[in-house]
Amino acid sequence: MPAPAPRKNHKVLGRLSLPERTFVADALRTETVGGVLLLAAAIAALIWANTPIRESYESVRDFHVGPAALGLDLSIEHWAADGLLAVFFFVAGIELKRELVAGDLRDPRAAALPVVAALSGMAVPALVYTLVNVTGGGSFDGWAVPTATDIAFALAVLAVIGTSLPSSLRAFLLTLAVVDDLFAILIIAVFFTENLNFAALGGAAVGLGVFWLLLRGGVRGWYVYVPLALVIWGLMYNSGVHATIAGVAMGLMLRCTTRKDEGEQRSPGERIEHLVRPLSAGLAVPLFALFSAGVAVSGGALGEVFTRPETLGVVLGLVVGKAVGIFGGTWLTARFTRASLSDDLAWPDVFAVSSLAGIGFTVSLLIGELAFAGDKALTDEVKAAVLMGSLIAAVLSGVLLKIRNAKYRRLWEDEERDEDLDGIPDIYEQDNPAYHLRMAEIHERKAAEHRRLAEVTGGASEENDGPA
């Protein structure tokens, strides 16, 4: 009986396929711009809330508007957290659906890495927070605050210090954040839902069923789906379940595979994501930051972040827990699945990206508001801790990425090189005989042009090739 074939090793964080690379590049381009706007909004909120005009900030943030008869007489801050973030989670739902049916999460073997890394990157920060509060006698209510990663903010940091980061590491960060968002949604739904209104919840479920049937029936038109989505959101809010869950549910219902027989170039999910993502990244999330990040920050308050167990647990959870959890989960996955790291990368690269995931801004602020809803002072202190932890994680990861930036630049140049000018990077055509024939023709044409130039100038061009 012949011996079984040895199990083939696979590469961790290897080069992406060309379609996946194109999708990731488009998605990250929008998220990077959104991250810069998010950063600007957070800075504006901090300035507004820490100057003599801070009373106007509180007045605007706490101003109530909306139909009270429908249970929607909410503050501006509340509208931003429950309303605008539903758009953000709608996009997250589409991203998750695409990853499940057409991306890395479709293949269980490939999905193991980001799923395990994301789970470890949420479990370890929660454990760090819990240990700090066990020893310090603090509250366990905020255990979920440091578990989230803010992809937009992380990419804003990359836009400044990691412009040449290889697409495989960027894709890893994006997929990790998608899985992270899924589990953050589950945490919000399971641990921060109280006093369920089953009539409203049933109505939201019926609305989602109608939404799904319309999609299945091929009905088109924003004038059908937008009003229905608003009704579903309102019912979900009044049910006691966090209203952002409605956005995720609708995003997951969209079809994210193309029908080649109908000549589709992009799936409905991709088309809608392309339209809604700029609204999410450019408006919804920055406005949420503007009305959530405005906390009073003084020298004494910043010092207390490192002395109170709840806030210290958040900072250490983001800075230490995220980096150790994601890096450890990635290393263990590679170790026990007989995988090896891509030849172009080293484990310090993975640790740098893991540290970058410690930027837990948007969802961490949201969970902080939910966890300490009855204590306004502690809520603001936890928000300050989220800001401090995210800042430290950004600086740490920035230093680590800068150390390897020259290596990243060479990898990025290899990925982008397109000598035959056909719009496809050469690295994706190296196994194509037609590519090598085309390149031989190009090189021969350049050599002929050089010979003609040498004949005309009598060799002067060759003499002048050196430095002046």
Side-chain angles (χ1 to χ4, degrees), residues 229-276:
L230 292 174
V231 170
I232 294 170
W233 177 87
L235 289 168
M236 189 69 76
Y237 175 83
N238 281 286
S239 73
V241 177
H242 201 269
T244 53
I245 304 300
V248 178
M250 287 183 280
L252 286 170
M253 289 181 181
L254 291 174
R255 177 168 58 82
C256 292
T257 54
T258 56
R259 291 175 176 169
K260 300 298 184 183
D261 57 330
E262 297 181 9
E264 280 187 341
Q265 297 299 317
R266 291 193 299 176
S267 67
E270 287 180 278
R271 289 199 305 271
I272 294 173
E273 181 186 16
H274 183 72
L275 293 172
V276 179

Side-chain angles (χ1 to χ4, degrees), residues 54-73:
R54 60 179 174 272
E55 291 183 1
S56 65
Y57 176 80
E58 295 172 357
S59 298
V60 174
R61 183 190 62 190
D62 298 333
F63 182 77
H64 278 62
V65 63
L70 298 177
L72 296 175
D73 182 18

Side-chain angles (χ1 to χ4, degrees), residues 202-219 224-225 227-229 231-232 235 250 253:
V206 171
L208 288 171
V210 173
F211 190 89
W212 182 78
L213 289 172
L214 291 173
L215 289 173
R216 291 278 292 179
V219 176
V224 174
Y225 291 102
L228 178 58
V231 170
I232 294 170
L235 289 168
M250 287 183 280
M253 289 181 181

Side-chain angles (χ1 to χ4, degrees), residues 53-338:
I53 60 171
R54 60 179 174 272
E55 291 183 1
S56 65
Y57 176 80
E58 295 172 357
S59 298
V60 174
R61 183 190 62 190
D62 298 333
F63 182 77
H64 278 62
V65 63
L70 298 177
L72 296 175
D73 182 18
L74 311 177
S75 67
I76 297 298
E77 180 183 21
H78 211 161
W79 275 111
D82 284 51
L84 292 177
L85 277 195
V87 179
F88 166 78
F89 279 109
F90 174 70
V91 174
I94 299 175
E95 289 176 338
L96 178 60
K97 178 66 173 290
R98 185 198 166 277
E99 290 292 335
L100 289 170
V101 300
D104 287 343
L105 301 183
R106 177 182 56 177
D107 178 4
R109 195 178 182 193
L113 177 64
V115 170
V116 172
L119 285 173
S120 302
M122 299 184 82
V124 176
L127 179 61
V128 169
Y129 177 93
T130 302
L131 289 175
V132 170
N133 283 269
V134 165
T135 57
S139 169
F140 300 124
D141 292 344
W143 65 269
V145 175
T147 61
T149 293
D150 191 306
I151 183 62
F153 215 146
L155 292 174
V157 174
L158 281 182
V160 177
I161 50 89
T163 53
S164 301
L165 199 68
S167 59
S168 58
L169 284 177
R170 291 175 180 267
F172 174 64
L173 181 63
L174 181 61
T175 306
L176 186 73
V178 169
V179 179
D180 190 289
D181 285 342
L182 169 64
F183 289 108
I185 292 159
L186 293 176
I187 287 173
I188 291 171
V190 174
F191 295 99
F192 298 104
T193 295
E194 299 177 358
N195 304 320
L196 282 176
N197 181 331
F198 288 100
L201 185 60
V206 171
L208 288 171
V210 173
F211 190 89
W212 182 78
L213 289 172
L214 291 173
L215 289 173
R216 291 278 292 179
V219 176
R220 296 188 178 186
W222 65 267
Y223 46 84
V224 174
Y225 291 102
V226 171
L228 178 58
L230 292 174
V231 170
I232 294 170
W233 177 87
L235 289 168
M236 189 69 76
Y237 175 83
N238 281 286
S239 73
V241 177
H242 201 269
T244 53
I245 304 300
V248 178
M250 287 183 280
L252 286 170
M253 289 181 181
L254 291 174
R255 177 168 58 82
C256 292
T257 54
T258 56
R259 291 175 176 169
K260 300 298 184 183
D261 57 330
E262 297 181 9
E264 280 187 341
Q265 297 299 317
R266 291 193 299 176
S267 67
E270 287 180 278
R271 289 199 305 271
I272 294 173
E273 181 186 16
H274 183 72
L275 293 172
V276 179
R277 185 187 286 275
L279 175 64
S280 168
L283 181 65
V285 175
L287 281 178
F288 168 77
L290 181 64
F291 294 110
S292 291
V295 294
V297 178
S298 63
L302 291 178
E304 291 175 2
V305 165
F306 298 98
T307 58
R308 183 159 185 164
E310 293 88 350
T311 51
L312 179 61
V314 169
V315 173
L316 292 179
L318 288 171
V319 177
V320 179
K322 273 289 184 184
V324 172
I326 293 173
F327 179 82
T330 305
W331 185 86
L332 288 172
T333 302
R335 174 68 178 80
F336 290 104
T337 59
R338 297 186 180 181

